[in-house]
Amino acid sequence: MIDYPRRDKDGWHRWVPSWKLVSGLCVGFFGTMVAAAGIAYAMVGIPDVAKIAEAQNNVYYWADGTQMVATGGERNRQSISFAQIPKEMRNAVISQENKTFYSDSGIDPKGIARAVFNMAKGGDTQGGSTITQQYVKNAMLNDQSQTISRKVKEIFVSIKVGAKEPKDKILEGYLNSAYYGRGAYGIQAAARAYFNVDAVDLNAGQCAFLSAMLKGATYYDPAGSTSIDPAATPEANSERAKRQMQDTLDKMVEYEHLSQEERDKYTDLPTVRNPQSNAQLGGQIGYLVRLAKSSVVRNGVVSEQQMERGGYSIYTTFDKKKVEALESAVQKVYKEKIDPKKRPDKDTHVQFGGASVDPETGAIKAVYGGEDATKHFTNNADVTGAQVGSTFKPFVLAAAMNWGVRDPDLGPTQAQDERTIVSPKSLYSGKNDLKIKEYDGTIWKNEDGEQWLQRNDGKVSLGDPPDYKITLREAMRESSNSAFVQLGMDVGLDKVKEAAVDAGLLEDSLAGAGYPSFSIGVSSPSAIRMADAYATFAASGKQSEPYSVTKVTDKSGTIYTHKVETEQAFTAQVADNVTDILKTVVEEGTGTNAQLPGREVAGKTGTTDGNKSAWFVGYTPQLSTAISMFRYPDDESVKERAFLEMYGTGGEKEIHGASFPSHIWKDYMEDALKGTKAEKFPKPEPIGEVVNDTPPPSPSPSPSPSASETEEASPSPSPSPSQTETSPTPSAPTSTCGVWDLNCNNGNDGGNDDSGNGPGGSDGSGAPSPTATETEDNGDGNGDGNSQGNTIWGSNG
């Protein structure tokens, strides 16, 4: 029947198949395919979208295996009829996703081909689907595997649904089954979650907004989802949602689903309510659950929709006793010191954040996210935007000990390779208003040719004249800004940034490294990441990524197990020397309030420009903990939100890292380490050479604050001047104000403003530098300039 090779042919003709054979094979192949397709079509059924409502609980467990909370099953969808779904919602989805919905067969051949091609490259198969295919995809939620077999099955189901089901029923099913974020399945649940109205009452703008959520609420919900992706900030999400919403409205007009007159009513995002938490997730539990859930989704274990359907057991790293101890330590300060009724203009909107990490594994043992997860939605242990101030200085020191300072006599290229590792005894100037230089000794100037004078807190010079030299150990102990800014310039700010990332900070949480102030904490990492980065020093340079979930199981068994992986970020010699110097800070410097009797402690205080945030980050060999404090309105009625000053908060002249944050740290750590053996840090091996070893005229201490005082204390009658610890990218005001003209406003929005503009703003963007005449910040966020001709920047340490 198959004459091949052909018997009656010679040479190459013998190997050329006949037309009969070719045509027969083609007919057989296509016949088999048609038969297989017919069998597949007959075997698949039309999905029952009502089954999507069958949500189960997810059960979360403490680190000791006891149950923390069971939640998720209450997030069922609520179906409504086609008539109850606003026509604007139907048209918004059709206009944006599938304009040929009412005329197509239910599948998009081009989209399918694109999906198969993407899958062959290892990419995502999503994209290019019709509404019918998306409806089927939702109905097949139990199987979200990115495989060809699942995609083929989805195609056949879509064809059958398109042939058998009325279009209105398909659209109704899709809008009732789609996931809109915030645990909301279906348009009715979404209308309540975002606007607290019934779906039938939605207007065209709200409908266009909700259609944007279908693209993935992680990146479009104005509340933000930074726990899943740091790029999903409220600001970025709001911008994306507005852009998508406006595009949808324009398409509705283009396809004649909406009049231009009606469309013009909706040029801004509609007012969206804050996400609502259920009562089970009150207190700290809600923050813990969100953190664990985000970890599971971010690691690709299951999708957000699958998590919302439930049925998973999530085993966390959270230690119940430590979580309770951290909350108790914060509440103690609230109860004893914070009184909004007594000081409404000073004590309102006071917030704390905290996180505790195991240095050996990176396991997150405890977090403090805020007063109550059902009232304060943002997790303060995670991304907040609060800048870290002088707690960043250990990364400058680590960079200097790891890579060394550059030789001033060499050119840029050669200097990168030929460096000198610094010793803790290396000498740097602690002079106030120090003129900052490039590594080669030339005066640093910005792109406008302006110089930089670095100010210490309280305008205090450390060390003795004329050169004011102090050792790096003394500079860290007293938190000298001038010494560490110059050290950062000598090492190279790119290396300082690299050291911070190696220690465990996320690169996108760091400000631009184009200005000298980068070294004194203009960046805004989370408390979790700060605790983890300091844990790297506690672990003698071994860095472990912070994690909150050890294991995930479902009805089929274990589907995920965390594997601890460590990298040697720094040598033990470097890390142990950093620890040894940070011990000095706690033993005799600005961190003495954090001393734990009988235990060795290393740590660092920090406060930022305009007294808008304060930190203490410290560790013992067993536990690393970061505590932050700031004032930031979390009331959704406040439209213009910004970090507020803390002068006078809690009855204190000003808030600094050595005050409330260090007290909280101490109270918590005493409880958290109770019953554990007091361990010692490794003895550091000598490191480096003494750089700038010309000794000062006298080894006597400088007129610095005493060990019991903080480097944040400012003797000036007004808030400490021009603290650019919070501004890598200050703006350029005009020089129209006098030095003591405290009410003068050059148009800057300074301090720790989350807008990123002015002396205190930080968005890491590398915006214009300060002008030569800008020198002081009176603490109200308004730059006060004079005409000295130099840029002077300070820090609260």
Side-chain angles (χ1 to χ4, degrees):
M1 294 179 64
I2 300 177
D3 183 21
Y4 190 82
R6 301 170 69 182
R7 289 171 294 173
D8 58 342
K9 300 294 182 181
D10 296 323
W12 64 272
H13 293 284
R14 178 175 173 80
W15 302 98
V16 178
S18 67
W19 67 270
K20 294 180 181 179
L21 179 58
V22 173
S23 60
L25 289 173
C26 288
V27 170
F29 174 76
F30 286 110
T32 302
M33 293 294 292
V34 170
I39 294 172
Y41 182 83
M43 290 181 65
V44 299
I46 294 176
D48 183 3
V49 75
K51 292 182 178 180
I52 295 176
E54 298 174 359
Q56 305 175 57
N57 280 329
N58 291 316
V59 183
Y60 293 82
Y61 295 90
W62 294 104
D64 62 4
T66 58
Q67 182 172 314
M68 178 195 304
V69 66
T71 183
E74 74 283 354
R75 302 294 181 89
N76 296 346
R77 69 181 178 90
Q78 180 182 352
S79 294
I80 57 177
S81 68
F82 185 79
Q84 290 176 298
I85 300 173
K87 64 178 182 179
E88 290 87 352
M89 188 66 205
R90 302 177 230 152
N91 291 331
V93 173
I94 291 172
S95 299
Q96 185 61 253
E97 299 185 25
N98 187 189
K99 66 179 180 180
T100 62
F101 169 70
Y102 276 102
S103 60
D104 62 35
S105 63
I107 62 171
D108 175 13
K110 291 182 179 179
I112 293 171
R114 184 165 57 250
V116 171
F117 179 70
N118 288 341
M119 187 164 49
K121 295 192 303 179
D124 193 351
T125 63
Q126 296 181 8
S129 296
T130 63
I131 287 176
T132 302
Q133 285 177 269
Q134 292 179 60
Y135 164 67
V136 170
K137 184 181 180 69
N138 291 340
M140 295 171 62
L141 190 61
N142 281 334
D143 182 8
Q144 292 290 294
S145 57
Q146 300 295 310
T147 61
I148 292 179
S149 61
R150 191 204 65 81
K151 196 67 180 178
V152 169
K153 182 180 179 181
E154 181 185 309
I155 291 170
F156 279 109
V157 174
S158 299
I159 293 173
K160 196 163 193 175
V161 168
K164 298 288 187 180
E165 296 288 329
K167 289 289 187 178
D168 286 354
K169 185 175 181 181
I170 294 172
L171 186 57
E172 174 191 323
Y174 171 58
L175 292 175
N176 274 323
S177 64
Y179 183 62
Y180 296 79
R182 300 192 178 186
Y185 280 94
I187 183 62
Q188 173 63 17
R192 281 291 172 188
Y194 288 94
F195 305 113
N196 199 26
V197 300
D198 289 324
V200 70
D201 297 322
L202 293 170
N203 61 41
Q206 292 170 329
C207 290
F209 170 87
L210 289 177
S211 72
M213 296 304 105
L214 296 174
K215 294 180 68 66
T218 295
Y219 298 100
Y220 290 87
D221 185 344
S225 298
T226 51
S227 58
I228 294 178
D229 187 340
T233 63
E235 295 77 17
N237 280 15
S238 295
E239 179 60 32
R240 279 188 286 262
K242 181 178 180 180
R243 189 165 53 245
Q244 182 69 15
M245 169 189 165
Q246 296 303 311
D247 182 65
T248 297
L249 289 169
D250 289 340
K251 287 180 178 177
M252 291 173 71
V253 173
E254 179 183 350
Y255 303 139
E256 299 182 351
H257 294 313
L258 190 69
S259 69
Q260 184 64 50
E261 181 182 8
E262 182 69 11
R263 185 261 176 274
D264 291 340
K265 295 179 181 178
Y266 309 106
T267 56
D268 294 318
L269 276 179
T271 301
V272 178
R273 70 188 308 207
N274 278 342
Q276 305 299 301
S277 298
N278 65 65
Q280 285 182 287
L281 301 180
Q284 299 305 303
I285 298 296
Y287 302 118
L288 301 176
V289 166
R290 282 186 220 150
L291 202 59
K293 174 185 171 182
S294 298
S295 175
V296 171
V297 173
R298 187 174 59 248
N299 289 329
V301 181
V302 294
S303 70
E304 188 174 1
Q305 293 185 53
Q306 289 172 307
M307 278 293 290
E308 288 296 339
R309 287 206 61 196
Y312 300 97
S313 294
I314 298 96
Y315 295 83
T316 74
T317 60
F318 306 129
D319 185 311
K320 184 178 182 180
K321 291 182 179 179
K322 288 182 174 63
V323 170
E324 291 174 348
L326 184 52
E327 183 177 30
S328 177
V330 174
Q331 288 178 344
K332 180 180 177 182
V333 169
Y334 269 124
K335 187 179 297 184
E336 296 179 357
K337 298 293 184 180
I338 309 302
D339 190 345
K341 293 182 179 179
K342 183 178 180 180
R343 292 177 292 271
D345 59 334
K346 304 294 184 181
D347 285 12
T348 54
H349 309 304
V350 174
Q351 298 186 36
F352 294 92
S356 203
V357 171
D358 180 353
E360 185 177 352
T361 64
I364 303 171
K365 292 299 183 180
V367 299
Y368 180 83
E371 179 185 3
D372 189 316
T374 62
K375 301 175 183 178
H376 172 71
F377 185 73
T378 302
N379 184 351
N380 290 345
D382 209 348
V383 181
T384 63
Q387 297 175 351
V388 297
S390 288
T391 58
F392 197 80
K393 289 173 182 174
F395 306 122
V396 184
L397 181 63
M401 290 181 170
N402 192 56
W403 290 288
V405 295
R406 294 170 287 183
D407 189 331
D409 296 326
L410 301 177
T413 302
Q414 190 177 1
Q416 287 288 353
D417 299 325
E418 298 186 27
R419 293 168 170 265
T420 302
I421 302 299
V422 302
S423 158
K425 297 179 181 179
S426 294
L427 298 169
Y428 272 82
S429 176
K431 184 179 183 297
N432 181 54
D433 288 353
L434 179 69
K435 187 174 291 186
I436 298 303
K437 301 177 180 179
E438 299 280 6
Y439 82 93
D440 60 3
T442 59
I443 303 300
W444 184 91
K445 295 180 180 179
N446 65 12
E447 60 271 20
D448 296 323
E450 300 156 349
Q451 299 177 6
W452 188 286
L453 300 182
Q454 183 56 55
R455 175 165 296 161
N456 285 330
D457 173 57
K459 305 179 183 179
V460 175
S461 289
L462 304 171
D464 293 319
D467 49 15
Y468 295 95
K469 285 187 176 179
I470 55 174
T471 68
L472 289 180
R473 184 181 296 275
E474 293 170 325
M476 185 71 78
R477 184 188 72 199
E478 304 300 335
S479 202
S480 167
N481 296 324
S482 54
F484 278 96
V485 167
Q486 187 58 60
L487 178 62
M489 298 300 291
D490 291 351
V491 175
L493 297 181
D494 58 331
K495 292 300 184 183
V496 173
K497 188 172 188 176
E498 188 175 346
V501 172
D502 287 348
L505 301 188
L506 295 176
E507 187 170 359
D508 56 17
S509 72
L510 301 180
Y515 290 86
S517 58
F518 178 74
S519 294
I520 52 175
V522 297
S523 300
S524 53
S526 68
I528 291 173
R529 285 288 171 173
M530 286 298 289
D532 184 66
Y534 272 50
T536 300
F537 300 130
S540 293
K542 294 179 181 178
Q543 201 278 324
S544 301
E545 280 292 291
Y547 70 100
S548 59
V549 175
T550 60
K551 183 175 66 172
V552 178
T553 65
D554 64 7
K555 62 183 179 181
S556 66
T558 300
I559 60 174
Y560 170 78
T561 301
H562 178 79
K563 182 180 179 182
V564 175
E565 296 180 353
T566 60
E567 293 184 4
Q568 195 71 41
F570 308 108
T571 64
Q573 186 184 29
V574 169
D576 293 344
N577 271 279
V578 172
T579 293
D580 192 59
I581 290 176
L582 293 181
K583 280 176 58 182
T584 306
V585 174
V586 176
E587 291 170 354
E588 357 176 317
T590 62
T592 54
N593 286 336
Q595 292 177 358
L596 299 176
R599 293 184 184 274
E600 291 191 348
V601 175
K604 185 72 186 75
T605 54
T607 307
T608 55
D609 181 24
N611 206 212
K612 293 181 179 180
S613 63
W615 290 72
F616 185 80
V617 188
Y619 54 94
T620 66
Q622 302 109 309
L623 201 60
S624 177
T625 301
I627 303 294
S628 66
M629 178 181 179
F630 51 92
R631 288 181 66 210
Y632 188 84
D634 59 355
D635 186 348
E636 61 184 352
S637 65
V638 180
K639 293 184 178 181
E640 297 295 331
R641 302 190 196 183
F643 285 92
L644 305 174
E645 297 171 350
M646 294 190 291
Y647 297 111
T649 297
E652 301 288 325
K653 181 179 179 182
E654 59 183 313
I655 300 299
H656 37 74
S659 56
F660 297 152
S662 67
H663 285 293
I664 291 172
W665 188 94
K666 178 181 181 178
D667 287 346
Y668 161 68
M669 291 290 279
E670 283 182 336
D671 282 347
L673 296 172
K674 190 176 295 182
T676 63
K677 181 182 178 181
E679 298 182 7
K680 293 184 178 297
F681 292 115
K683 185 177 180 180
E685 297 181 8
I687 190 171
E689 301 179 22
V690 178
V691 176
N692 304 325
D693 59 353
T694 303
S698 169
S700 61
S702 64
S704 60
S706 66
S708 61
E709 296 174 336
T710 168
E711 84 276 19
E712 288 91 346
S714 174
S716 60
S718 60
S720 56
S722 180
Q723 287 121 321
T724 49
E725 190 162 6
T726 53
S727 177
T729 59
S731 61
T734 58
S735 55
T736 58
C737 303
V739 178
W740 300 109
D741 189 359
L742 300 183
N743 294 318
C744 179
N745 187 339
N746 277 330
N748 289 327
D749 184 12
N752 198 4
D753 190 329
D754 63 353
S755 67
N757 300 318
S762 171
D763 60 1
S765 61
S769 63
T771 64
T773 60
E774 183 177 299
T775 61
E776 295 201 358
D777 181 352
N778 65 15
D780 63 358
N782 302 319
D784 295 320
N786 62 21
S787 55
Q788 283 186 321
N790 296 294
T791 303
I792 303 180
W793 296 109
S795 164
N796 275 350

